[in-house]
Amino acid sequence: MGPPEHLGSYRLLSSLGAGGFGAVYLALDPGGRTVAVKVLHPHVAADAVAIARLAREVETMRLVRGRHVAEVLDASLTGERPYIVTRYVQGRPLNAVLSADGPLAGDDLVRLARGLAEALESIHAAGVVHRDLKPANVIVSDGEPYVIDFGIACALESASVTASGAVVGTPGYLAPEVLEGRDAGPAADVFAWAATVAFAASGRQPYGTGPATAVAFRVVHREPDLSGTPSWLAPLLAECLRSDPALRPSATDLINRLDLTRPPGDRPGRRDADRPWAAAVTSEAASGSAAGTTSGAAPAVTPAGGHQGGHPGADAGDEAVTRAWRPGDPRRSVDDLRARHRRKLHRRWVAGSAVVVGLFAAAARDNLPEVSLLLLVLYGIGLLVDAGFGLAARSRERPALDAAGGVGAVAVWALLSSLFSTGTLLLAVGTVVIILLMLVFAS
C-alpha cells in the first residue's frame, strides 16, 4: 500500500463526494484536525478568469463566521490542482436526510429554517452571496444545519465555466432574476432558502421536477406549489419566493419572523431554553426592533408571546431576562467532544485488551505456565501505570476502569482455562492474531 496522498500541507484521507466545481476529500491539517478539502475540477482549474475571480473572493469568504456555516480556512489557487479548505462537518446532506427519514416537522423544521437563515445572515454580512443554496449544500449534524460551498458558485461563474450552456446553480432553487441573466444579490439566497425549506417541510419540490429547462420555466412564469407545507410557515415561504427580489425579506427579517411564528403546540420558549447558545431579548426586540449582532455571535431570539428563553413558563408581563451568547456556550464544545472520545477509546482498549491477555495467558497455562503468569503480571503493571496517569489527571473513572480490566483479565484466564482445551485456545489465539493483522493492514 503506497503512502497517503498529500495536497500541500494536507493529508487526504478519503473521498466525500464531488460536485459541479470539484471533488471533496476528508483530510488532516498539519495540526491533525479534520478538514474538508475541495479540489477544483481540471476544466475549472484551467479557467484563468474563474481562478482569478475566486482568488479575489476567497479572502472575503474567509471573513464569514457563523455557527451554521462551514468556514473557509485556507486556499491554494495556484498550480495544477487548486483547492479550498473548509471546516469539516460530520453529518448527512439534507437531501439524504429527507430521503431516509421523510419531511421535517415541528421543532426540527424550525431548527432547520432558523439555522439556514442565521447562516445566510452571516454570509451576507461579509458581503458574500452563496448563489447555490440547496439541500445538497446543507449538512445536517445532530439536527442542526450547516451551509457549505458559500460564495464558490458566484465566484466561479465565468464565460468558460458556463460555455456548455449550463446554468451555474440548480434550477428550482435559482431565483428568477438569476435565470433571466440579471445580477444575483442576497435576495436570490432568500429565494433558495424558501425553496429548500419548502422541500424539507413537504418532501416536494415547490416548482416540480423534470428537465432543467421545464423547472426553470416554472420558476419564472408560475407560482410555487406549497401544498404540504405547514400553515404557519407557508405565508413566509410564499413571500420569499416572490418574483421581484425587492419584495423578499432579508435574512435578518427571516430570523425575526421565525421567532415570532411558531408551529401549533410548540411551547413558547422551549427551543430557546433548551439551547444554551440562544439569547433572550428585551421587550423592545419583541415589539419588532432587531438587535445587532457581532461577527460570530448568535442573533437575538425573540420568543413569541413575550415569553423569555430563560423562563419557558413566564407570563408576558414578567421582566425580560437577557442571556448573552458566549464562545463555549454551545451544547457540546470541541474540547468536550474530544474528551468524551478519548474516554470511549480508553474503555474499549481496556475491555479488549483484558479479553486478549486473558485468552493468551489461558492458552499458555499448561505448556508455558511461566509465560502465562508473565503476561498477566505485565498487563497488571501496564494498568497500574495507566491508573497512575488517571489519578494525576484527577480522573476517578480511569483508575476504576483499569482495576476492572485487571480483574477481568484474570477472570477470563481462569474461565477459559477451565472450560477449553489448550488446542482450542491456541486456535482462538491464531484467529485473534489474524484479525488484529487484518485491522492493522486495513488502517
Side-chain angles (χ1 to χ4, degrees):
M1 183 171 56
E5 183 179 2
H6 285 75
L7 193 59
S9 59
Y10 299 93
R11 177 187 174 190
L12 305 185
L13 300 178
S14 61
S15 174
L16 295 176
F21 299 121
V24 185
Y25 297 89
L26 177 66
L28 293 178
D29 70 2
R33 294 175 292 268
T34 54
V35 294
V37 177
K38 184 155 198 171
V39 183
L40 301 183
H41 289 318
H43 72 276
V44 179
D47 186 338
V49 175
I51 294 299
R53 183 175 181 179
L54 181 59
R56 292 193 300 268
E57 295 290 339
V58 160
E59 292 306 314
T60 302
M61 291 158 59
R62 294 181 68 172
L63 298 177
V64 177
R65 287 292 181 270
R67 203 174 74 86
H68 292 281
V69 296
E71 299 94 342
V72 173
L73 304 175
D74 190 13
S76 175
L77 301 176
T78 58
E80 297 181 355
R81 303 184 68 189
Y83 60 89
I84 298 175
V85 182
T86 65
R87 177 164 65 101
Y88 171 63
V89 179
Q90 185 175 8
R92 293 183 295 167
L94 177 60
N95 52 346
V97 172
L98 299 177
S99 177
D101 304 332
L104 303 181
D107 191 55
D108 290 335
L109 182 59
V110 174
R111 292 171 69 184
L112 174 77
R114 196 181 194 286
L116 294 182
E118 288 183 12
L120 289 185
E121 184 184 51
S122 301
I123 293 170
H124 295 166
V128 177
V129 179
H130 191 293
R131 190 63 175 272
D132 195 21
L133 180 64
K134 57 186 178 182
N137 281 339
V138 176
I139 301 297
V140 179
S141 177
D142 290 334
E144 296 289 344
Y146 298 87
V147 174
I148 63 174
D149 281 0
F150 58 86
I152 295 179
C154 183
L156 288 182
E157 185 184 37
S158 68
S160 60
V161 170
T162 59
S164 62
V167 178
V168 177
T170 304
Y173 300 93
L174 288 176
E177 62 268 25
V178 178
L179 295 171
E180 293 175 345
R182 290 181 279 157
D183 291 336
D189 285 344
V190 172
F191 182 95
W193 173 90
T196 300
V197 174
F199 177 54
S202 66
R204 302 172 56 184
Q205 306 284 354
Y207 292 98
T209 58
T213 52
V215 176
F217 178 85
R218 296 187 205 112
V219 170
V220 176
H221 300 286
R222 302 284 177 81
E223 294 297 320
D225 178 10
L226 296 177
S227 59
T229 58
S231 58
W232 61 269
L233 182 61
L236 179 59
L237 297 179
E239 190 175 336
C240 295
L241 293 173
R242 289 173 175 171
S243 297
D244 187 351
L247 300 179
R248 299 174 201 149
S250 67
T252 302
D253 293 334
L254 292 179
I255 297 172
N256 294 331
R257 293 274 294 275
L258 288 168
D259 289 335
L260 294 172
T261 306
R262 301 215 181 234
D266 187 21
R267 185 177 64 182
R270 180 183 64 189
R271 271 189 311 118
D272 307 321
D274 291 341
R275 298 184 189 180
W277 49 264
V281 295
T282 60
S283 57
E284 288 81 7
S287 65
S289 62
T293 60
T294 58
S295 175
V301 174
T302 312
H307 300 298
Q308 303 305 315
H311 299 278
D315 293 330
D318 290 348
E319 183 179 357
V321 178
T322 300
R323 289 194 299 138
W325 179 91
R326 299 182 300 275
D329 274 352
R331 292 173 295 176
R332 290 185 296 177
S333 67
V334 174
D335 291 338
D336 181 51
L337 288 174
R338 288 176 177 171
R340 292 178 59 185
H341 184 62
R342 285 194 296 268
R343 290 195 297 270
K344 180 170 67 175
L345 289 179
H346 181 259
R347 288 192 294 268
R348 292 179 178 178
W349 177 83
V350 171
S353 61
V355 173
V356 172
V357 170
L359 172 62
F360 279 50
R365 179 179 180 178
D366 291 337
N367 299 326
L368 298 171
E370 297 85 358
V371 174
S372 177
L373 180 61
L374 181 62
L375 285 174
L376 293 175
V377 170
L378 291 178
Y379 183 63
I381 293 174
L383 291 177
L384 285 175
V385 173
D386 187 70
F389 283 113
L391 291 174
R394 297 181 180 179
S395 171
R396 297 180 179 179
E397 177 186 0
R398 192 164 169 180
L401 187 62
D402 289 330
V407 174
V410 174
V412 170
W413 167 76
L415 183 64
L416 294 180
S417 299
S418 61
L419 294 179
F420 299 99
S421 66
T422 302
T424 302
L425 293 175
L426 289 175
L427 182 61
V429 167
T431 303
V432 171
V433 170
I434 293 175
I435 293 175
L436 292 176
L437 290 176
M438 290 175 62
L439 291 176
V440 170
F441 283 112
S443 63

